[in-house]
Amino acid sequence: MEEVLAEVAAAVEPHRGAGKIADYIPALARIDPRHFAIAVADREGRVHGAGDCDLPFSIQSISKVFTLALALERVGSGLWDRVGREPSGSAFNSIVQLEHEQGKPRNPLINPGAMVVTDQLIGEGGADAAIARLLDFLRAQAGDPGIEVDAEVAESESRTGARNRSLAWFMKSFGILGNDVETVLSAYFRHCALAMSCRQLARAGLFLAFDGRDPVSGREVMPWHRARRINSVMMLCGHYDNSGEFAFRVGLPGKSGVGGGILAIAPGHGSVAVWSPGLNEAGTSAVGALALEALVDRTGWSVFV
Ligand code: GLN
């Protein structure tokens, strides 16, 4: 695997720095676009890496996979009364569809859908307790107590979050959100601002590649049917209006974030995290997607075999 990853890194080298950094979040605009990292966690829990795979980056929307996992644990399938599971075919922060569909977001991986999920995660302890539970979960899965929220990124996103605030208020008007808008957004901005390295992220997502079980401890993180469903939502909705293209090129469930990270799940094989900050038009890491294509080319991993 180390050799494969070195080959993947060499294959994307000529493209390093391609794509456009997400500068609508000022704290992200300063990142060097030439960063590249890849890590693969395998069945034995070993994490192989190349490039800047120990450097934490802003995982942004990749957090939506983990909040979905925790919200399904907390409220069960009743979650689907408030959020759909169809691809949206529009941008992650689009508002038009919401009006047509009476405030119920298409899926949990676009911004409004993730806000509904976050709302459902918030209980008695408010937003702080929800974030603390998420951190506990990620630290436990990654086996690394060092995972933190980057407060500067969260603050930067909140300060410039007019569009997300509009989406949340719009849903509030339809009665879809139970908590106060600012409470939901305070948790939403913080989970998007989680800083993780590719190594931590690949390890944290490993249970999704093994039917909800941690392959090392054998512990059930979630029932197998839930893990499969999360993978199916990632496959169809993980990259917004670019999800079809990603499925076509990579053939694995994945989730991208505007920090330039992508988490991809190879069922039965392992979990892969890539990071390169430059994005394509839909907000998926341009070089990250190329790297995943190069990886599946060499490993033969696909959900379609
Ligand atoms: N925090 C970002 C936002 O809400 C997440 C978007 C993304 O990663 N696609 O705009």
Side-chain angles (χ1 to χ4, degrees), residues 33-77:
R34 289 188 48 81
H35 281 298
F36 172 74
I38 183 164
V40 174
D42 68 16
R43 172 188 295 278
E44 278 77 42
R46 288 180 303 224
V47 186
H48 312 271
D52 305 319
C53 60
D54 288 303
L55 204 62
F57 62 94
S58 193
I59 72 165
Q60 291 293 319
S61 286
I62 302 171
S63 61
K64 294 170 182 173
V65 172
F66 299 108
T67 50
L68 175 62
L70 290 188
L72 284 169
E73 177 74 35
R74 183 164 188 273
V75 300
S77 55

Coordinates of all heavy atoms in Angstrom, one line a residue, residues 33-77:
P33 N -2.4 26.2 -1.7 CA -3.1 25.3 -2.6 C -2.3 24.1 -3.0 O -2.8 23.1 -3.6 CB -3.4 26.2 -3.8 CG -2.5 27.3 -3.8 CD -2.1 27.5 -2.3
R34 N -1.0 24.1 -2.7 CA -0.2 22.9 -3.2 C -0.1 21.8 -2.2 O 0.5 20.7 -2.5 CB 1.3 23.4 -3.5 CG 1.3 24.3 -4.8 CD 2.7 24.6 -5.2 NE 3.6 23.5 -5.2 CZ 3.7 22.6 -6.2 NH1 2.9 22.7 -7.3 NH2 4.5 21.6 -6.2
H35 N -0.8 21.9 -1.1 CA -0.8 20.8 -0.1 C -1.5 19.5 -0.8 O -2.4 19.7 -1.6 CB -1.7 21.1 1.1 CG -1.0 21.9 2.1 ND1 0.1 21.5 2.7 CD2 -1.4 23.2 2.5 CE1 0.4 22.5 3.6 NE2 -0.4 23.5 3.5
F36 N -0.9 18.4 -0.5 CA -1.5 17.1 -1.0 C -1.3 16.1 0.1 O -0.2 15.9 0.6 CB -1.0 16.7 -2.3 CG -1.5 15.3 -2.7 CD1 -2.8 15.1 -3.1 CD2 -0.7 14.2 -2.5 CE1 -3.3 13.8 -3.4 CE2 -1.2 12.9 -2.8 CZ -2.5 12.7 -3.2
A37 N -2.3 15.3 0.4 CA -2.2 14.2 1.4 C -3.2 13.1 1.0 O -4.2 13.3 0.5 CB -2.5 14.7 2.8
I38 N -2.7 11.9 1.3 CA -3.6 10.7 1.2 C -3.3 9.7 2.3 O -2.2 9.6 2.7 CB -3.5 10.1 -0.2 CG1 -4.5 8.9 -0.4 CG2 -2.0 9.6 -0.5 CD1 -4.6 8.5 -1.8
A39 N -4.4 9.1 2.8 CA -4.2 8.1 3.8 C -5.2 7.0 3.6 O -6.4 7.3 3.3 CB -4.3 8.6 5.2
V40 N -4.8 5.7 3.8 CA -5.7 4.6 3.7 C -5.6 3.8 5.0 O -4.5 3.4 5.4 CB -5.3 3.7 2.5 CG1 -6.1 2.4 2.5 CG2 -5.4 4.4 1.2
A41 N -6.8 3.6 5.6 CA -6.9 2.8 6.8 C -7.4 1.4 6.4 O -8.3 1.3 5.6 CB -7.8 3.3 7.9
D42 N -6.7 0.3 6.8 CA -7.0 -1.0 6.3 C -7.7 -1.8 7.4 O -7.9 -1.4 8.5 CB -5.8 -1.7 5.7 CG -4.7 -2.1 6.7 OD1 -5.0 -2.1 7.9 OD2 -3.6 -2.4 6.3
R43 N -8.0 -3.1 7.0 CA -8.8 -4.0 7.9 C -8.0 -4.2 9.3 O -8.7 -4.5 10.3 CB -8.9 -5.3 7.1 CG -9.5 -6.5 7.9 CD -9.4 -7.7 7.0 NE -10.2 -7.7 5.9 CZ -11.5 -7.9 5.9 NH1 -12.1 -8.3 7.0 NH2 -12.2 -7.8 4.7
E44 N -6.7 -4.1 9.2 CA -6.0 -4.3 10.5 C -5.8 -3.1 11.3 O -5.2 -3.1 12.3 CB -4.5 -4.8 10.1 CG -4.4 -6.4 9.9 CD -5.0 -6.7 8.5 OE1 -4.6 -6.0 7.5 OE2 -5.7 -7.7 8.4
G45 N -6.4 -2.0 10.8 CA -6.4 -0.7 11.5 C -5.0 0.0 11.2 O -4.8 1.1 11.8
R46 N -4.2 -0.5 10.3 CA -3.0 0.2 9.9 C -3.4 1.4 9.1 O -4.3 1.3 8.3 CB -2.0 -0.7 9.1 CG -1.4 -1.8 10.0 CD -0.5 -2.6 9.1 NE -1.3 -3.1 8.0 CZ -1.2 -4.4 7.5 NH1 -0.3 -5.2 8.1 NH2 -1.9 -4.8 6.5
V47 N -2.7 2.5 9.2 CA -3.0 3.6 8.4 C -1.8 4.0 7.6 O -0.7 4.3 8.1 CB -3.5 4.9 9.2 CG1 -3.9 6.0 8.3 CG2 -4.6 4.5 10.2
H48 N -1.9 3.8 6.3 CA -0.8 4.1 5.4 C -1.0 5.5 4.8 O -2.1 5.9 4.6 CB -0.8 3.1 4.2 CG -1.0 1.7 4.6 ND1 0.1 0.9 4.9 CD2 -2.1 0.9 4.8 CE1 -0.3 -0.3 5.3 NE2 -1.7 -0.3 5.3
G49 N 0.1 6.2 4.6 CA -0.1 7.6 4.2 C 1.0 8.1 3.3 O 2.1 7.5 3.2
A50 N 0.7 9.2 2.6 CA 1.7 9.9 1.7 C 1.4 11.3 1.8 O 0.3 11.7 2.1 CB 1.7 9.3 0.3
G51 N 2.4 12.2 1.4 CA 2.2 13.6 1.4 C 2.0 14.1 2.9 O 2.5 13.6 3.8
D52 N 1.2 15.2 3.0 CA 1.0 15.9 4.3 C 0.0 15.2 5.1 O -1.0 15.8 5.6 CB 0.5 17.3 4.0 CG 1.5 18.1 3.1 OD1 2.7 18.0 3.3 OD2 1.0 18.9 2.2
C53 N 0.1 13.9 5.2 CA -1.0 13.1 5.8 C -1.2 13.2 7.3 O -2.1 12.8 7.9 CB -1.0 11.6 5.4 SG 0.5 10.8 5.9
D54 N -0.2 13.9 7.9 CA -0.3 14.2 9.4 C -0.7 15.6 9.7 O -0.9 16.0 10.8 CB 1.0 13.9 10.1 CG 1.2 12.4 10.2 OD1 0.3 11.7 10.7 OD2 2.2 11.9 9.7
L55 N -1.0 16.4 8.6 CA -1.3 17.8 8.8 C -2.8 18.0 8.9 O -3.5 17.6 8.0 CB -0.8 18.6 7.6 CG -0.5 20.1 7.8 CD1 0.6 20.3 8.8 CD2 0.0 20.7 6.4
P56 N -3.3 18.6 10.0 CA -4.8 18.8 10.2 C -5.2 19.8 9.2 O -4.6 20.8 8.9 CB -4.9 19.3 11.6 CG -3.7 19.0 12.3 CD -2.6 19.0 11.2
F57 N -6.4 19.6 8.6 CA -7.0 20.6 7.7 C -8.5 20.7 8.1 O -9.0 19.9 8.9 CB -6.9 20.2 6.2 CG -7.6 18.8 5.9 CD1 -8.9 18.8 5.4 CD2 -6.9 17.6 6.1 CE1 -9.5 17.6 5.1 CE2 -7.5 16.4 5.9 CZ -8.8 16.4 5.4
S58 N -9.2 21.6 7.5 CA -10.6 21.9 7.9 C -11.5 20.8 7.2 O -11.6 20.9 6.0 CB -11.0 23.3 7.5 OG -12.2 23.6 8.1
I59 N -12.1 19.9 7.9 CA -12.8 18.9 7.2 C -14.2 19.3 6.7 O -14.8 18.6 5.8 CB -13.0 17.6 8.1 CG1 -14.1 17.8 9.2 CG2 -11.7 17.1 8.7 CD1 -14.6 16.5 9.8
Q60 N -14.7 20.5 7.1 CA -15.9 21.1 6.6 C -17.0 20.0 6.4 O -17.4 19.4 7.4 CB -15.6 21.8 5.2 CG -14.7 23.0 5.5 CD -15.5 24.1 6.3 OE1 -16.7 24.3 6.0 NE2 -14.9 24.7 7.2
S61 N -17.6 19.9 5.2 CA -18.8 19.0 5.1 C -18.6 17.6 5.3 O -19.5 16.8 5.3 CB -19.4 19.3 3.7 OG -20.0 20.5 3.7
I62 N -17.3 17.1 5.4 CA -17.1 15.7 5.7 C -17.7 15.4 7.0 O -18.2 14.3 7.3 CB -15.6 15.3 5.6 CG1 -15.1 15.7 4.2 CG2 -15.4 13.8 5.9 CD1 -13.5 15.5 4.1
S63 N -17.7 16.4 7.9 CA -18.3 16.2 9.3 C -19.8 15.8 9.2 O -20.3 15.1 10.1 CB -18.2 17.5 10.1 OG -18.9 18.6 9.4
K64 N -20.4 16.1 8.0 CA -21.9 15.8 7.9 C -22.1 14.2 7.9 O -23.2 13.8 8.3 CB -22.4 16.4 6.6 CG -22.4 17.9 6.7 CD -22.7 18.6 5.4 CE -22.6 20.1 5.6 NZ -22.7 20.9 4.3
V65 N -21.1 13.5 7.6 CA -21.3 12.0 7.6 C -21.3 11.6 9.1 O -22.1 10.7 9.5 CB -20.0 11.3 6.9 CG1 -20.1 9.8 7.1 CG2 -20.0 11.7 5.4
F66 N -20.5 12.2 9.9 CA -20.4 11.7 11.3 C -21.6 12.3 12.1 O -22.1 11.6 13.0 CB -19.1 12.2 11.9 CG -17.9 11.6 11.2 CD1 -17.1 12.3 10.4 CD2 -17.6 10.2 11.3 CE1 -16.0 11.7 9.7 CE2 -16.5 9.6 10.7 CZ -15.7 10.4 9.9
T67 N -22.1 13.5 11.8 CA -23.2 14.0 12.5 C -24.5 13.2 12.1 O -25.3 12.9 12.9 CB -23.5 15.5 12.2 OG1 -23.5 15.7 10.8 CG2 -22.4 16.4 12.9
L68 N -24.5 12.7 10.8 CA -25.6 11.9 10.4 C -25.6 10.6 11.2 O -26.6 10.1 11.7 CB -25.5 11.6 8.9 CG -26.5 10.6 8.3 CD1 -27.9 11.1 8.5 CD2 -26.2 10.3 6.8
A69 N -24.4 10.0 11.4 CA -24.3 8.7 12.1 C -24.8 8.9 13.6 O -25.6 8.1 14.1 CB -22.8 8.3 12.1
L70 N -24.4 10.0 14.2 CA -24.8 10.3 15.6 C -26.3 10.6 15.7 O -26.9 10.2 16.7 CB -23.9 11.4 16.2 CG -22.5 11.1 16.5 CD1 -21.8 12.2 17.3 CD2 -22.3 9.7 17.2
A71 N -26.8 11.3 14.8 CA -28.2 11.7 14.8 C -29.1 10.5 14.6 O -30.1 10.3 15.3 CB -28.5 12.8 13.8
L72 N -28.7 9.6 13.7 CA -29.5 8.3 13.5 C -29.4 7.5 14.8 O -30.4 6.9 15.2 CB -28.9 7.6 12.3 CG -29.3 8.2 11.0 CD1 -28.6 7.5 9.8 CD2 -30.8 8.0 10.7
E73 N -28.3 7.5 15.5 CA -28.2 6.8 16.8 C -29.1 7.4 17.8 O -29.8 6.7 18.5 CB -26.7 7.0 17.2 CG -26.4 6.3 18.6 CD -26.3 4.8 18.5 OE1 -25.9 4.4 17.4 OE2 -26.7 4.2 19.5
R74 N -29.2 8.8 17.8 CA -30.0 9.5 18.8 C -31.5 9.4 18.6 O -32.2 9.1 19.5 CB -29.5 10.9 18.9 CG -30.2 11.7 20.0 CD -29.5 13.0 20.3 NE -30.1 13.6 21.5 CZ -31.1 14.4 21.4 NH1 -31.7 14.7 20.2 NH2 -31.7 14.8 22.5
V75 N -31.9 9.6 17.3 CA -33.4 9.7 17.1 C -33.9 8.6 16.2 O -35.1 8.6 16.0 CB -33.8 11.1 16.5 CG1 -33.4 12.2 17.4 CG2 -33.1 11.4 15.1
G76 N -33.0 7.8 15.7 CA -33.5 6.7 14.8 C -34.0 7.1 13.5 O -33.8 8.3 13.1
S77 N -34.8 6.3 12.9 CA -35.2 6.5 11.5 C -36.2 7.7 11.4 O -36.6 8.1 10.3 CB -35.7 5.3 10.8 OG -36.7 4.7 11.6

